[in-house]
Amino acid sequence: MASNPEAESGGILSGIWETVKTIFWALLIAGVFRTLFFQPFWIPSGSMKDTLLIGDFLFVNKMAYGYSYASCPSIRIDRIGLDIDAEDICGWLGDEEDGRLFGSMPDRGDVAVFLHPVTGEDFIKRVIGLPGDRIQVTDGRLIINDTPVEVEDAGTFSEVMELQGPQGLQPRCRNGAVGMGSICEKTRLTETLPNGVSHDILNIGTQASDNTGVYTVPEGMLFMMGDNRDNSTDSRVPPTARGVGYVPVADLVGRADRVMFSSAGRSMLAFWTWRGDRFFHAID
């Protein structure tokens, strides 16, 4: 029986078209899900230790604070020069009150992801100051609205001095410049915010960020800090490529509620470095 080249060609094209449609709808559904509900996020640095460790993987709850331009993904592919900012896609949301649809303010103590005001990169810190608050740090002690927060000794945070995460970062230690493979220590304290939220903070030593002036948080802004206080670029530093400054509420991406997966190695495929005790770990 003779074959029909035209029929075979049509069948191939039909199969390719079906594949293209399947990929298109899959990407569209994934994009909508990521925009409206949850966004995956890897912890790349140690600024939130010991609440979050380098290599923790979590989903950011985008429903927690409503939606703004920051809810949309940025698309950057350097190899082909593609750079589409979230504001390019959803900048129209900035016309809403406080730049958010169905918006609500975060609670003090929430761990939240936001877009860096200068670079547009995803950052994760703890909400410390709300609009109108006065924030200061004196001798490493956080002061909110002229009242020092409660702190209690929580022992020592210890980790091995080794390269951490894909970037190969080295931890900073209270006990000096220890060698690779040695134990790196930090002082750990439990801090209780005025609304009763308690969380651990780490201290390495005395530095400039341990003594600040008074920051009065403007309307529509937040004051964010890392729990690893001596190793965090946060609202104590003015907004530059390295600093953060006050964070606009419109720049919030969502709230981090739970660690889903965690790996201490430089690759998630190195299963022997997985931290099973942190799987589905609630974020305080």
Side-chain angles (χ1 to χ4, degrees), residues 203-271:
N203 181 58
I204 299 169
T206 302
Q207 58 186 46
S209 58
D210 288 330
N211 290 280
T212 72
V214 177
Y215 303 91
T216 300
V217 185
E219 279 300 313
M221 299 287 185
L222 302 168
F223 195 92
M224 314 291 286
M225 295 180 71
D227 291 348
N228 191 359
R229 291 286 163 81
D230 291 343
N231 196 41
S232 174
T233 298
D234 49 40
S235 292
R236 290 171 289 178
V237 181
T240 62
R242 291 186 56 82
V244 172
Y246 300 120
V247 174
V249 174
D251 286 354
L252 286 174
V253 174
R255 186 181 65 214
D257 295 325
R258 188 174 297 274
V259 174
M260 305 303 294
F261 172 83
S262 185
S263 173
R266 301 190 66 180
S267 168
M268 64 174 292
L269 299 179
F271 63 87

Side-chain angles (χ1 to χ4, degrees), residues 27-247:
L27 291 175
L28 181 62
I29 293 170
V32 170
F33 184 86
R34 185 183 185 278
T35 298
L36 296 180
F37 302 111
F38 297 97
Q39 174 178 320
F41 188 82
W42 283 97
I43 302 301
S45 73
S47 68
M48 283 295 294
K49 291 178 181 178
D50 64 347
T51 303
L52 296 170
L53 305 179
I54 296 175
D56 282 350
F57 175 78
L58 49 90
F59 284 104
V60 179
N61 180 359
K62 291 194 168 187
M63 299 174 284
Y65 308 130
Y67 304 98
S68 75
Y69 84 95
S71 303
C72 286
S74 297
I75 304 173
R76 293 187 178 93
I77 306 177
D78 294 334
R79 285 177 296 178
I80 62 174
L82 183 63
D83 186 355
I84 302 176
D85 188 81
E87 194 165 6
D88 296 331
I89 303 173
C90 294
W92 58 273
L93 287 172
D95 294 330
E96 300 297 321
E97 182 179 0
D98 292 329
R100 306 195 74 79
L101 284 173
F102 313 114
S104 62
M105 288 294 292
D107 292 325
R108 195 191 313 276
D110 282 0
V111 176
V113 172
F114 58 92
L115 298 185
H116 188 284
V118 176
T119 68
E121 296 178 277
D122 289 332
F123 266 46
I124 186 165
K125 305 289 179 185
R126 191 178 296 275
V127 178
I128 295 297
L130 302 173
D133 283 342
R134 295 181 305 280
I135 307 295
Q136 186 175 18
V137 179
T138 301
D139 295 329
R141 184 84 170 268
L142 177 63
I143 300 171
I144 300 178
N145 295 326
D146 306 319
T147 301
V149 301
E150 298 179 14
V151 292
E152 295 181 0
D153 179 67
T156 299
F157 173 77
S158 301
E159 58 185 336
V160 176
M161 170 58 76
E162 60 185 355
L163 301 181
Q164 299 180 350
Q167 300 180 51
L169 302 177
Q170 294 186 32
R172 295 176 58 205
C173 315
R174 181 200 65 195
N175 54 326
V178 303
M180 299 297 285
S182 300
I183 298 300
C184 173
E185 297 180 345
K186 299 175 182 63
T187 300
R188 178 163 49 196
L189 301 167
T190 298
E191 180 179 83
T192 302
L193 300 175
N195 60 344
V197 173
S198 294
H199 59 278
D200 287 345
I201 60 173
L202 302 182
N203 181 58
I204 299 169
T206 302
Q207 58 186 46
S209 58
D210 288 330
N211 290 280
T212 72
V214 177
Y215 303 91
T216 300
V217 185
E219 279 300 313
M221 299 287 185
L222 302 168
F223 195 92
M224 314 291 286
M225 295 180 71
D227 291 348
N228 191 359
R229 291 286 163 81
D230 291 343
N231 196 41
S232 174
T233 298
D234 49 40
S235 292
R236 290 171 289 178
V237 181
T240 62
R242 291 186 56 82
V244 172
Y246 300 120
V247 174

Side-chain angles (χ1 to χ4, degrees), residues 2-23:
S3 61
N4 187 334
E6 291 186 3
E8 290 181 1
S9 176
I12 293 173
L13 290 175
S14 177
I16 293 174
W17 176 239
E18 288 301 319
T19 300
V20 170
K21 288 196 296 184
T22 300
I23 293 173

